[in-house]
Amino acid sequence: MDKGSNQSRNGSAKKTDEIRRIEPDLKVNLCGIILDNPVIAASGPFGYGHEYRALTNFEALGGIIVKGVSLEPWTGNPPPRLAETASGLLNAIGLHNPGLDQFLEKDLPLLRDAGPRLIVNVVGCSINEYSRVASHLDGVEGIDGLEINISCPNVKAGGMAFGTDPEATYQAVSAVRRRTKLPLLIKLSPNVTDICVIARAAEEAGADGISLINTLAGMLIDVGQKKPLLGNTFGGLSGPAIMPVALKMVWQVAGTVKVPVLGMGGINSAEDALQFIMAGARAVAVGTGFFYDPELPVKINAGLTEYMKTNGISNLGRIEGIARS
Amino acid sequence: MDKGSNQSRNGSAKKTDEIRRIEPDLKVNLCGIILDNPVIAASGPFGYGHEYRALTNFEALGGIIVKGVSLEPWTGNPPPRLAETASGLLNAIGLHNPGLDQFLEKDLPLLRDAGPRLIVNVVGCSINEYSRVASHLDGVEGIDGLEINISCPNVKAGGMAFGTDPEATYQAVSAVRRRTKLPLLIKLSPNVTDICVIARAAEEAGADGISLINTLAGMLIDVGQKKPLLGNTFGGLSGPAIMPVALKMVWQVAGTVKVPVLGMGGINSAEDALQFIMAGARAVAVGTGFFYDPELPVKINAGLTEYMKTNGISNLGRIEGIARS
Amino acid sequence: MWLLKTKKGPEYQTEDCPVIDKQVVASGYCRVALHAPVIARKVDPGQFVQIFMPPEHRDHMLPRPFSIFGANRKNGELVILLEIKGRGTDLLAGTGPGSSWKLLGPLGTGFPALSPASLLVAGGMGIAPLAFLAASAAVPCTLIYGARTAGQLICPQSDLNRPGLSLLETTEDGSRGEKGTAVDLLSRLIADAGTVFACGPRPMLAAVNNLCRRAGIEAWVSVEERMACGVGACLGCAVATGSGYKRACRDGPVFRAEEVILDG
Amino acid sequence: MWLLKTKKGPEYQTEDCPVIDKQVVASGYCRVALHAPVIARKVDPGQFVQIFMPPEHRDHMLPRPFSIFGANRKNGELVILLEIKGRGTDLLAGTGPGSSWKLLGPLGTGFPALSPASLLVAGGMGIAPLAFLAASAAVPCTLIYGARTAGQLICPQSDLNRPGLSLLETTEDGSRGEKGTAVDLLSRLIADAGTVFACGPRPMLAAVNNLCRRAGIEAWVSVEERMACGVGACLGCAVATGSGYKRACRDGPVFRAEEVILDG
Ligand SMILES: Cc1cc2nc3c(=O)[nH]c(=O)nc-3n(C[C@H](O)[C@H](O)[C@H](O)COP(=O)(O)OP(=O)(O)OC[C@H]3O[C@@H](n4cnc5c(N)ncnc54)[C@H](O)[C@@H]3O)c2cc1C
Ligand SMILES: Cc1cc2nc3c(=O)[nH]c(=O)nc-3n(C[C@H](O)[C@H](O)[C@H](O)COP(=O)(O)OP(=O)(O)OC[C@H]3O[C@@H](n4cnc5c(N)ncnc54)[C@H](O)[C@@H]3O)c2cc1C
Ligand SMILES: Cc1cc2nc3c(=O)[nH]c(=O)nc-3n(C[C@H](O)[C@H](O)[C@H](O)COP(=O)(O)O)c2cc1C
Ligand SMILES: Cc1cc2nc3c(=O)[nH]c(=O)nc-3n(C[C@H](O)[C@H](O)[C@H](O)COP(=O)(O)O)c2cc1C
Ligand code: FES
Ligand code: FES
């Protein structure tokens, strides 16, 4: 980042002045959802958004993806649900959520006019559950898109997640596609041998975009207690620890599918965001970052603007995937 | 760790005194290789061992797994080959190595009488290459076992690594098994949907033990240059960042196969080592840790001894896999 | 408008707080006074703050939760009692006056107001929220403060020396105060108690709850859970209750004792 | 016996080194003197040390390599010239006297001995190993020291003020010394040169190599690569040469200029 900027600064002072006059446009079109800027709150850490209203400047958020919503309330996993790891966070919330009705009644009204585009993360244990939530949300005022989290266990297929098998992915996505006209992002699990196969299946089934990555499967053991630390034994690893893994998957998928990619996993700075965009992401999401810096989106936006000004880039389309060429 | 020790300390002073008199035996039997202690140098970071002779007390190493050896010399990847990430290291050495002949002539003599058991990490691009290295090493004085790194691209199968497909794993391991009587550890890649399927295939094909994990696939982008940072684009992530992922795979595989498991991935302390042992590992390996603390094996051994004394554990078999019950 | 509490301003917020005083009150424990005028003005007893790790230690992702031990609305002083437990508390304890901590607060649902004849029961570090509760009380009250041994009664006497507060110390080894546990003492005093307020290890809270239920006395407990957001968003701090999992950070940390499943 | 150099003791080792002096020599640059008697006694010009990150910053895995800028065998002082480039150098530059750095060294293959009429060419931070080479020389020599502008000639004059050393400064903007690059000056002086020793950015080294090859003059260059182990084990620091990849940390960092593929 600095190398680039130094070069142009040291080039011609006049040229630099001209470049600086560019007013960067941070708008991006994420599969039909127009975001004022490419920074989104990832599903989960940000809850239903309103909890962060006093902490995060919502103008710095192009969109909010709310925590996973299922048809009925889910109780989630027994505590402890959280553990800190080296530059990472292990969580096993278990998709605890109050269910669709309460989301629509209680949470949505608090967010509808908040500013950022609103995307609902949908979870389910069967194709039927996914479809029913999608169909209920279709046409609801204030909802701009859906993100289908296919990392949940597929009860019919013996508990393996939908997102680890291309055929199951295709089935689930097609079913949801038939039930909604909303832009459809499919959120993939990184715990697979070949993420491209899954992404392609989702695209073929009608996905408008691919979100990745969800958390890496992991665990910790409480040595004193001689048992797994998390109540659920296994959890998902997020945060800067996983960033290089996420970036590689975004790179691979962006080279495989034609629909836009929403990149996430450990994003911690404008420089990280630029890495994802240069790898081919249309927009980026921040999750774990909210826990240690609720103002992270503000900083990322400021850094992106500064980078674009310094390098004479008027819109992010100019650098999307540029590291691939 | 502390909770356990506090409890026994606060219990009965007399009982504690008795416990403290136990002289812990750190010896373990890793598929026929008797290690004086369960801490091994992982393949790669430690090179061929002699480079670390002045930095690491070899008495703290139960064994050394030397860097991957192939039939012919391999040139490896273009630089840069290394990048630091949050609590992790990304490397793309590309299995650069001087080949079997030079290993036997130059490196082996420097290590043969060093003390720790010696395990040779074997790499190849075809079943034939693996088999030939294994057969050459069979019966060579000073070599106590082989670790077959099946994470290399399988040229015949279109470049997918052997270790991502159970059938290819079975073929490769059976072929090597026929060519050597040495104890055979199979080193697995974590970049798969279901590590247990691969581990089972290796066991059925005659593996004496399973080593895991190798590095997680990842990448970084140099934002200034607008291109991938590593010369090879992709690299492998190691270090504390990946520890929870490694621990989970060790836990799963130890519950799946009957042969012993050698656990590794970000081990950074005696407490980490205990987590792996309690998850079911027979022994543990340290890789990236050597870069920031060449004395890490000494500290891990000291911590294990202290833990065993405090908790009245005479040998590690007593806690192997204890967190599973 | 959709702000949660428009008139009062936000319930909680982040605040950069200079450390104005740090005292080591016992080995591994310190009392830290911060200048936190916004949070100090709003905080109620039983509420807590999240303290962010310094940005140069970003390998530690999570802020750490601490009860408010004292707050002075007038001069904006906020006091924390801190036990070094691991890397995070070690880092915090290693800084002192001259440095600044970033706080998020005040968070959570605190204690209800004290009624006359309230009995406060603190085990170990459970003293932190109860000392603040006692200090804020409009009526006289009794505080039972127990630990294993005298050295673990680390709360400075000066912080407990308030008019209307009768302090009863207990140690299991009898090295200070009465010999026995805080619960032993509670069982002897419970007949005359109004409401009971407790904070301490889970087994102690379970015993308090059992005693109070049998005696038909209302009891409130403050519980600890691992936390991430601290504001009720992530659902990471689940506490098992009779009506499903609740959030320690928002629905708690103070709950009716009968509501929480304490011996699970 | 299989120790590498039994008689002399190990070639390299780790040493805990108190920082005895730190001077900010320009904004973003400092000169750090350490007490490192073991390493200082052994080090040759062109060799380097790895400096470990402080253990409380374990999110930074890798030690950072630094050329030896000066060494006093008698009092055990080792001097480093440090440019703040990122998190690691920032952390190091943030500490000072009173703290200790853990070093690993001396590492690598340094420069061969200077012959009369040697010409040393330093670009920017390339001054570090060459200043030490000049200071250790038994014969007079000439040092060309170039940078973009005067402010980037950050090496303290006192460290270059040695008998037998003629210092020629160049800046691209002419703000100090001759106007032009170090290579421009070299091209004018090369006819009279014995051997050339160079350290600086890759393009500069490539230009030096081209000049010397055309003039038929022997040239040595010191190159930089990202490193992990520093001792030749991990093969992470590959440098492309005419005969395959070599290790910057062990086969180098000093190579014959003609051997390295400098413009790749
Ligand atoms: C509502 C509340 C109030 C608290 N009040 C105080 C107080 O006044 N004084 C005090 O000294 N301590 C208090 N604690 C406990 C304190 O938060 C932990 O001791 C501290 O977070 C441990 O951090 P560490 O990095 O030192 O330990 P580590 O073990 O290294 O922490 C690892 C992780 O586990 C979490 N963690 C570990 N133990 C606990 C715990 N018991 N509760 C919550 N999270 C934990 C931490 O948040 C951290 O993310 C309170 C906890 C809660 C939930
Ligand atoms: C043999 C050798 C001698 C050196 N001598 C000096 C010296 O005398 N003075 C000085 O200021 N600097 C010197 N450097 C460069 C110095 O090592 C890097 O500037 C420093 O490692 C950057 O670390 P950072 O954490 O501040 O930067 P970051 O960019 O945050 O570093 C990230 C990683 O990249 C590596 N890295 C980044 N740039 C370089 C580089 N140019 N060379 C090697 N590794 C790099 C670091 O090791 C680190 O692991 C030398 C490098 C080598 C290889
Ligand atoms: C506490 C927590 C809860 C999460 N809940 C959800 C969820 O409900 N649905 C979902 O698709 N992803 C969920 N995620 C995954 C994140 O959206 C994101 O994919 C992942 O954490 C990687 O990004 P990060 O490193 O920026 O957090 C959750 C992550 C965390 C840490
Ligand atoms: C620089 C480097 C080189 C490696 N080379 C090899 C190798 O040759 N063969 C192999 O099986 N694994 C190799 N590995 C993987 C390690 O043996 C180990 O599985 C992995 O790094 C995880 O452990 P760690 O986090 O302790 O490093 C290498 C790792 C690193 C960092
Ligand atoms: S800590 Fe996030 S909901 Fe309580
Ligand atoms: S840094 Fe490891 S071989 Fe050079």
Side-chain angles (χ1 to χ4, degrees):
Chain A
M1 180 163 176
D2 284 323
K3 284 182 200 166
S5 56
N6 282 340
Q7 267 161 13
S8 52
R9 260 193 221 121
N10 294 320
S12 136
K14 190 151 159 259
K15 196 173 153 225
T16 306
D17 276 357
E18 269 166 37
I19 284 174
R20 286 226 151 237
R21 247 175 274 135
I22 285 176
E23 208 33 72
D25 182 4
L26 286 157
K27 262 203 199 66
V28 297
N29 178 340
L30 181 68
C31 51
I33 311 169
I34 310 293
L35 309 173
D36 282 345
N37 70 67
V39 184
I40 292 181
S43 174
F46 206 63
Y48 296 104
H50 47 81
E51 300 90 344
Y52 270 94
R53 190 58 192 86
L55 306 178
T56 303
N57 182 347
F58 276 29
E59 282 179 19
L61 289 174
I64 292 174
I65 309 182
V66 298
K67 200 170 161 34
V69 173
S70 52
L71 196 59
E72 304 292 334
W74 284 7
T75 53
N77 289 323
R81 292 178 173 184
L82 298 168
E84 197 183 70
T85 72
S87 296
L89 169 67
L90 199 60
N91 90 80
I93 311 295
L95 297 168
H96 180 173
N97 83 87
L100 181 62
D101 290 345
Q102 207 196 310
F103 167 70
L104 291 173
E105 271 165 43
K106 213 198 94 206
D107 299 297
L108 183 59
L110 290 173
L111 264 186
R112 198 173 264 141
D113 305 314
R117 297 286 80 75
L118 218 67
I119 300 171
V120 180
N121 184 268
V122 177
V123 299
C125 276
S126 68
I127 290 185
N128 182 37
E129 263 175 79
Y130 281 114
S131 307
R132 286 176 63 190
V133 179
S135 118
H136 269 98
L137 292 172
D138 191 40
V140 171
E141 193 206 322
I143 295 178
D144 300 293
L146 302 184
E147 179 182 65
I148 311 297
N149 177 359
I150 53 168
S151 332
C152 313
N154 178 351
V155 177
K156 282 253 176 79
M160 274 292 267
F162 286 99
T164 57
D165 174 60
E167 186 51 34
T169 300
Y170 185 89
Q171 299 294 339
V173 176
S174 320
V176 172
R177 176 74 292 172
R178 282 191 294 272
R179 306 292 281 276
T180 183
K181 282 178 289 297
L182 284 168
L184 216 55
L185 286 154
I186 308 302
K187 173 123 174 223
L188 303 188
S189 158
N191 304 298
V192 296
T193 306
D194 185 354
I195 190 111
C196 294
V197 176
I198 313 287
R200 224 178 285 124
E203 184 181 39
E204 280 165 17
D208 299 305
I210 306 288
S211 282
L212 71 172
I213 60 174
N214 214 313
T215 53
L216 285 172
M219 76 177 292
L220 285 177
I221 286 175
D222 182 327
V223 167
Q225 307 270 321
K226 301 195 182 70
K227 62 186 183 68
L229 195 149
L230 296 175
N232 186 52
T233 302
F234 301 144
L237 187 65
S238 62
I242 70 167
M243 185 276 198
V245 175
L247 187 67
K248 184 205 173 221
M249 292 193 167
V250 166
W251 170 283
Q252 289 180 293
V253 169
T256 300
V257 298
K258 291 197 193 64
V259 295
V261 171
L262 169 61
M264 71 193 85
I267 291 176
N268 186 30
S269 64
E271 212 230 306
D272 289 349
L274 284 165
Q275 292 196 50
F276 277 84
I277 293 167
M278 290 184 179
R282 177 70 46 90
V284 295
V286 168
T288 304
F290 283 106
F291 297 146
Y292 58 82
D293 187 0
E295 292 275 31
L296 190 52
V298 179
K299 291 171 188 163
I300 294 176
N301 267 294
L304 290 178
T305 306
E306 172 65 20
Y307 175 84
M308 291 169 78
K309 281 189 179 170
T310 312
N311 291 274
I313 291 165
S314 53
N315 71 76
L316 290 167
R318 294 241 340 259
I319 54 167
E320 185 180 314
I322 200 168
R324 317 178 57 85
S325 52
Chain B
M1 182 162 174
D2 284 324
K3 284 180 200 167
S5 57
N6 282 341
Q7 268 160 11
S8 53
R9 261 193 221 120
N10 294 320
S12 136
K14 191 153 157 253
K15 196 176 151 221
T16 306
D17 276 359
E18 267 165 37
I19 285 172
R20 285 227 153 238
R21 247 175 272 135
I22 285 177
E23 208 34 72
D25 182 4
L26 287 158
K27 264 204 197 66
V28 298
N29 179 340
L30 181 67
C31 52
I33 311 171
I34 310 294
L35 309 172
D36 282 346
N37 71 68
V39 185
I40 291 181
S43 176
F46 207 62
Y48 296 105
H50 46 81
E51 301 90 343
Y52 270 94
R53 190 59 192 91
L55 305 179
T56 303
N57 182 347
F58 276 29
E59 282 179 19
L61 289 174
I64 293 173
I65 309 182
V66 297
K67 201 172 159 34
V69 173
S70 53
L71 197 59
E72 305 291 333
W74 283 8
T75 51
N77 288 325
R81 292 179 172 182
L82 298 169
E84 199 183 67
T85 72
S87 298
L89 169 68
L90 199 60
N91 91 80
I93 311 294
L95 297 167
H96 178 174
N97 84 88
L100 182 63
D101 290 345
Q102 209 196 308
F103 167 69
L104 290 173
E105 272 166 43
K106 214 199 93 206
D107 298 297
L108 183 59
L110 290 173
L111 264 187
R112 197 173 266 142
D113 305 315
R117 298 285 82 76
L118 219 66
I119 300 171
V120 179
N121 184 269
V122 177
V123 299
C125 276
S126 67
I127 290 184
N128 182 37
E129 262 175 80
Y130 280 114
S131 307
R132 285 175 64 190
V133 178
S135 120
H136 269 96
L137 292 173
D138 191 40
V140 171
E141 194 207 318
I143 295 178
D144 299 293
L146 302 183
E147 180 182 62
I148 311 298
N149 176 359
I150 54 169
S151 332
C152 314
N154 179 352
V155 178
K156 282 251 175 81
M160 274 291 266
F162 286 98
T164 57
D165 175 59
E167 186 52 34
T169 300
Y170 186 89
Q171 299 294 338
V173 176
S174 318
V176 172
R177 176 73 290 173
R178 282 193 292 274
R179 305 293 281 273
T180 182
K181 284 177 289 297
L182 284 169
L184 218 54
L185 286 153
I186 308 302
K187 175 127 174 218
L188 303 188
S189 159
N191 304 299
V192 295
T193 307
D194 185 353
I195 190 111
C196 293
V197 176
I198 313 288
R200 225 179 284 124
E203 183 182 39
E204 280 165 15
D208 299 306
I210 305 288
S211 282
L212 72 171
I213 61 172
N214 213 315
T215 53
L216 285 173
M219 76 177 293
L220 286 177
I221 285 175
D222 182 329
V223 167
Q225 308 268 322
K226 300 193 184 71
K227 62 186 183 70
L229 194 150
L230 295 176
N232 185 52
T233 301
F234 301 144
L237 186 65
S238 62
I242 68 167
M243 186 276 198
V245 176
L247 187 68
K248 185 205 173 220
M249 292 193 166
V250 165
W251 169 283
Q252 289 179 294
V253 169
T256 300
V257 298
K258 290 196 193 66
V259 295
V261 170
L262 170 61
M264 71 192 87
I267 291 176
N268 186 29
S269 64
E271 213 229 306
D272 288 349
L274 284 166
Q275 292 196 50
F276 278 82
I277 293 167
M278 289 183 178
R282 178 71 46 91
V284 294
V286 168
T288 305
F290 283 106
F291 297 145
Y292 58 82
D293 187 0
E295 293 275 30
L296 189 51
V298 178
K299 291 170 188 163
I300 293 176
N301 267 293
L304 290 178
T305 305
E306 172 65 19
Y307 175 83
M308 292 169 78
K309 281 190 179 171
T310 311
N311 291 274
I313 291 164
S314 52
N315 71 77
L316 291 167
R318 294 243 339 259
I319 53 168
E320 185 180 313
I322 199 168
R324 317 178 59 84
S325 51
Chain C
M1 248 304 278
W2 55 281
L3 259 179
L4 283 181
K5 305 220 173 170
T6 338
K7 281 174 206 146
K8 294 211 300 179
E11 279 175 284
Y12 47 77
Q13 64 190 76
T14 56
E15 187 173 12
D16 285 309
C17 308
V19 175
I20 48 188
D21 182 53
K22 188 186 78 174
Q23 286 169 38
V24 176
V25 294
S27 158
Y29 295 86
C30 51
R31 180 192 187 279
V32 183
L34 300 145
H35 184 62
V38 182
I39 297 175
R41 200 174 54 234
K42 294 187 185 168
V43 67
D44 290 322
Q47 286 194 300
F48 68 100
V49 290
Q50 288 266 61
I51 305 184
F52 292 96
M53 293 293 103
E56 65 273 24
H57 295 283
R58 262 302 134 71
D59 47 331
H60 296 287
M61 303 274 92
L62 297 181
R64 269 52 174 176
F66 293 90
S67 301
I68 304 299
F69 174 60
N72 184 326
R73 275 148 231 261
K74 286 196 210 102
N75 67 10
E77 191 177 290
L78 197 76
V79 190
I80 301 290
L81 206 57
L82 182 150
E83 176 183 2
I84 299 179
K85 274 279 193 85
R87 285 286 294 134
T89 43
D90 196 42
L91 279 172
L92 291 174
T95 63
S99 58
S100 247
W101 293 357
K102 192 169 163 194
L103 266 58
L104 165 60
L107 299 171
T109 305
F111 292 105
L114 283 192
S115 48
S118 285
L119 210 55
L120 282 51
V121 187
M125 284 305 287
I127 191 66
L130 292 180
F132 185 37
L133 179 64
S136 313
V139 293
C141 63
T142 302
L143 170 61
I144 304 177
Y145 178 24
R148 224 163 252 161
T149 179
Q152 288 172 359
L153 291 171
I154 55 91
C155 181
Q157 287 292 329
S158 52
D159 286 310
L160 297 174
N161 218 346
R162 317 259 179 174
L165 170 65
S166 20
L167 174 66
L168 301 174
E169 296 177 331
T170 74
T171 52
E172 287 176 40
D173 63 1
S175 52
R176 194 158 110 197
E178 283 209 35
K179 181 164 171 155
T181 66
V183 176
D184 293 340
L185 189 50
L186 172 66
S187 68
R188 280 194 278 126
L189 302 179
I190 198 160
D192 303 321
T195 311
V196 169
F197 299 83
C199 186
R202 279 278 167 119
M204 181 194 106
L205 299 183
V208 168
N209 180 40
N210 289 339
L211 273 179
C212 292
R213 199 167 36 202
R214 264 183 269 134
I217 285 174
E218 186 183 322
W220 296 82
V221 295
S222 176
V223 300
E224 291 191 2
E225 270 307 331
R226 287 153 179 269
M227 293 181 177
C229 72
V231 298
C234 73
L235 306 187
C237 58
V239 177
T241 75
S243 48
Y245 292 120
K246 297 216 166 171
R247 298 164 301 178
C249 74
R250 178 105 194 136
D251 308 312
V254 175
F255 292 93
R256 269 181 198 280
E258 60 193 17
E259 195 184 352
V260 189
I261 299 170
L262 286 166
D263 32 21
Chain D
M1 248 305 278
W2 55 281
L3 259 180
L4 282 182
K5 303 221 172 169
T6 338
K7 280 173 210 146
K8 295 209 301 177
E11 280 176 284
Y12 47 78
Q13 64 191 77
T14 56
E15 189 172 11
D16 284 309
C17 307
V19 174
I20 49 188
D21 182 54
K22 187 186 81 175
Q23 287 168 39
V24 176
V25 295
S27 160
Y29 294 88
C30 52
R31 178 193 188 279
V32 182
L34 300 147
H35 184 62
V38 181
I39 297 175
R41 199 173 56 233
K42 292 186 187 170
V43 67
D44 290 322
Q47 287 194 298
F48 68 99
V49 289
Q50 287 266 63
I51 305 184
F52 292 95
M53 293 293 103
E56 64 273 24
H57 295 283
R58 263 302 134 69
D59 47 331
H60 296 286
M61 304 271 91
L62 296 181
R64 269 51 176 176
F66 293 91
S67 301
I68 304 299
F69 173 60
N72 184 325
R73 275 149 230 263
K74 284 195 214 102
N75 67 7
E77 190 176 290
L78 197 75
V79 191
I80 302 290
L81 207 56
L82 182 150
E83 177 183 2
I84 299 179
K85 275 276 193 85
R87 284 286 294 132
T89 43
D90 196 42
L91 278 174
L92 290 174
T95 63
S99 59
S100 248
W101 293 357
K102 193 170 161 193
L103 266 58
L104 165 59
L107 299 172
T109 305
F111 292 107
L114 283 192
S115 48
S118 286
L119 211 56
L120 282 50
V121 187
M125 283 304 288
I127 191 65
L130 293 178
F132 185 36
L133 179 65
S136 313
V139 294
C141 63
T142 301
L143 170 61
I144 304 176
Y145 178 25
R148 222 162 252 160
T149 179
Q152 287 171 0
L153 292 170
I154 55 93
C155 181
Q157 289 290 330
S158 52
D159 285 311
L160 297 173
N161 217 345
R162 317 263 179 170
L165 171 65
S166 20
L167 173 67
L168 303 174
E169 295 177 330
T170 73
T171 52
E172 287 176 42
D173 63 1
S175 52
R176 192 157 112 198
E178 286 209 31
K179 182 166 171 151
T181 66
V183 176
D184 294 340
L185 189 50
L186 173 67
S187 68
R188 281 194 279 123
L189 301 179
I190 198 162
D192 302 321
T195 311
V196 169
F197 300 83
C199 185
R202 277 281 168 117
M204 181 195 110
L205 299 183
V208 168
N209 180 40
N210 289 339
L211 273 180
C212 291
R213 199 169 35 206
R214 265 183 268 131
I217 285 172
E218 186 181 321
W220 297 83
V221 295
S222 177
V223 299
E224 288 191 3
E225 271 305 334
R226 284 153 181 269
M227 293 181 177
C229 73
V231 297
C234 73
L235 307 186
C237 58
V239 177
T241 74
S243 47
Y245 292 121
K246 298 216 166 172
R247 299 165 301 180
C249 73
R250 177 104 196 138
D251 308 314
V254 175
F255 292 94
R256 271 182 195 279
E258 60 193 16
E259 195 184 351
V260 189
I261 298 169
L262 286 165
D263 30 22

